[in-house]
Amino acid sequence: MKYIDEFRDGDLARQIGARIAAEAHPDRSYSFMEFCGGHTHAISRYGVLELLPPNVRMIHGPGCPVCVLPIGRIDLAIRLALERGAIVCTYGDTMRVPASDSLSLIKAKARGGDIRMVYSAADAMAIARANPQREVVFFAIGFETTTPPTALAIRDAAREGLANFSVLCCHVLTPSAITHILESPEVRQLGTVPIDGFIGPAHVSIVIGSAPYDHFAEEYRKPVVIAGFEPLDVMQAILMLVRQVNEGRAHVENEFTRAVTPEGNLKAQALVSEVFELRPSFEWRGLGEVPYSALKIRESFAAFDAERRFDLNYTPVADNKACECGAILRGVKKPTDCKIFGTVCTPENPVGSCMVSSEGACAAHYTYGRFRDIPIVVTTATEEATP
């Protein structure tokens, strides 16, 4: 298949790996963060780490939208279904993220909540049309990639007068999170690692373009290479980062030229700007409160804002003490550093959000055999997995 097969060529991958090994200086280390969960998935699935020299380290970033969603936000959606009688619609991965009181959206559904998995905001609108007597809430999550479809749904609902439809907006922004990782004293106190450069996200960059990353390269002297999700995309991006570090450069380079442009999708950006505005602050799992890192619905579309309609108040909730998702999202720890990884916490029984989505670092490591040295123990409950 064109644009797939040629980017999964094992011989070419080994050649690029040999070039990286040849050009990486043996007397220094290289630490690169792949921000996007899609890259984390590709690195684990295709064994990219095995092709890299020991002094080139890949650090998982907080670019999995399900993984960074804090417990308190999921609690809001659960309350809408169980206490307010709303039909709550959301994406499949969100259904299994652990919430308070040993609940998740899928467990709340088992308790009688009308919670439905959908593939798009348009599906949620169709449910609202089919149930005019019921309140229908679309629990919207994700980065800049999934934000335009949500904006389109809100705008169309306003034009249509779909009064029983609203959105619980939890859309977050990539550039703000990268800035927070680089400069926030809170993150430094929690713990982070030195980063020599970033692999920029693919789908996000199709929407926002490559220009927003210029700030990191100029202000923080950190190179950024935007890469596609195929293994050769990732390998080539790592080689490009190694070369920038060796040459003392800090530029934004675009490996994913077949899809990403400097300006991005201007129509999508205009639509998002029409419907949404910046939140002053938003809590990220693993990063804490991050200023201007998420979106809320503008006053002109307030009728479709579930937070306003249901007078919802957000309450932060601490993560499970046994779970290391926060440290993993900051790049401080690897999934195998977590004492419950692969034992109590598995994709079938996730304790932390990083084990839920296929883009999560823990799920990727578990699925593709990165836990070979961890004994697998079948267990139903342990004290250390109790919040």
Side-chain angles (χ1 to χ4, degrees):
M1 185 181 295
K2 190 166 178 61
Y3 298 125
I4 297 293
D5 294 342
E6 60 265 50
F7 288 91
R8 296 180 181 177
D9 187 307
D11 290 336
L12 284 177
R14 283 185 283 272
Q15 290 177 36
I16 299 173
R19 177 56 57 189
I20 293 170
E23 297 192 21
H25 296 164
D27 57 346
R28 70 150 297 163
S29 61
Y30 302 79
S31 296
F32 303 129
M33 175 176 280
E34 84 271 4
F35 183 89
C36 185
H39 289 135
T40 299
H41 180 89
I43 288 169
S44 293
R45 179 180 181 184
Y46 295 105
V48 168
L49 296 181
E50 280 80 352
L51 298 175
L52 301 179
N55 59 332
V56 176
R57 178 189 175 195
M58 299 307 299
I59 302 165
H60 309 309
C64 162
V66 170
C67 304
V68 300
L69 192 64
I71 291 174
R73 292 287 167 185
I74 305 163
D75 288 347
L76 291 179
I78 290 173
R79 289 209 302 270
L80 285 173
L82 293 182
E83 299 175 10
R84 309 297 285 272
I87 299 174
V88 175
C89 304
T90 192
Y91 300 124
D93 280 351
T94 318
M95 298 282 287
R96 299 173 58 245
V97 181
S100 298
D101 302 321
S102 300
L103 277 176
S104 64
L105 285 166
I106 201 163
K107 290 180 179 177
K109 179 180 177 68
R111 290 191 181 185
D114 196 343
I115 301 170
R116 309 185 190 186
M117 187 192 79
V118 295
Y119 290 103
S120 69
D123 290 347
M125 290 183 66
I127 292 171
R129 295 188 193 101
N131 297 271
Q133 76 287 359
R134 300 280 305 280
E135 289 286 343
V136 176
V137 179
F138 177 58
F139 184 25
I141 72 157
F143 290 89
E144 291 89 342
T145 312
T146 54
T147 304
T150 304
L152 181 63
I154 293 172
R155 192 186 70 178
D156 288 351
R159 291 178 176 179
E160 184 180 331
L162 194 60
N164 66 323
F165 176 77
S166 61
V167 171
L168 178 57
C169 179
C170 294
H171 285 300
V172 290
L173 303 173
T174 301
S176 302
I178 296 177
T179 299
H180 197 67
I181 290 170
L182 289 171
E183 71 175 17
S184 168
E186 290 82 11
V187 170
R188 286 198 292 272
Q189 289 166 10
L190 289 169
T192 187
V193 294
I195 297 170
D196 297 309
F198 291 90
I199 294 182
H203 293 159
V204 163
S205 301
I206 293 173
V207 176
I208 69 174
S210 61
Y213 305 104
D214 290 338
H215 170 70
F216 312 117
E218 296 170 1
E219 182 73 15
Y220 301 103
R221 300 297 300 165
K222 302 293 183 183
V224 178
V225 176
I226 297 164
F229 286 135
E230 297 302 325
L232 292 193
D233 287 317
V234 178
M235 295 290 293
Q236 182 64 25
I238 295 170
L239 177 59
M240 294 165 72
L241 284 170
V242 167
R243 287 174 173 171
Q244 285 210 51
V245 171
N246 288 348
E247 296 166 9
R249 296 186 292 116
H251 299 153
V252 177
E253 294 181 331
N254 182 14
E255 183 277 337
F256 199 30
T257 54
R258 61 189 186 277
V260 173
T261 61
E263 67 278 3
N265 187 327
L266 298 178
K267 288 187 177 180
Q269 294 170 28
L271 177 60
V272 169
S273 180
E274 177 186 353
V275 175
F276 295 112
E277 61 185 355
L278 286 173
R279 289 182 186 265
S281 185
F282 189 86
E283 183 188 6
W284 290 52
R285 185 173 299 208
L287 298 182
E289 289 287 336
V290 182
Y292 302 106
S293 65
L295 299 173
K296 64 178 182 179
I297 299 171
R298 288 187 181 275
E299 183 66 34
S300 54
F301 292 95
F304 302 94
D305 185 349
E307 291 186 67
R308 290 183 173 105
R309 179 176 295 190
F310 295 97
D311 193 26
L312 300 177
N313 295 308
Y314 175 71
T315 302
V317 179
D319 286 333
N320 188 306
K321 292 180 180 179
C323 176
E324 298 285 3
C325 275
I328 291 167
L329 289 167
R330 296 192 303 276
V332 179
K333 293 188 176 183
K334 302 187 296 293
T336 49
D337 293 330
C338 180
K339 60 186 177 181
I340 61 174
F341 172 80
T343 55
V344 176
C345 185
T346 66
E348 293 75 27
N349 180 43
V351 175
S353 59
C354 296
M355 189 62 90
V356 174
S357 170
S358 62
E359 293 188 358
C362 294
H365 277 246
Y366 186 96
T367 302
Y368 297 109
R370 302 295 169 241
F371 62 104
R372 287 186 289 266
D373 55 339
I374 303 295
I376 302 303
V377 179
V378 179
T379 162
T380 55
T382 72
E383 289 184 1
E384 63 184 6
T386 303

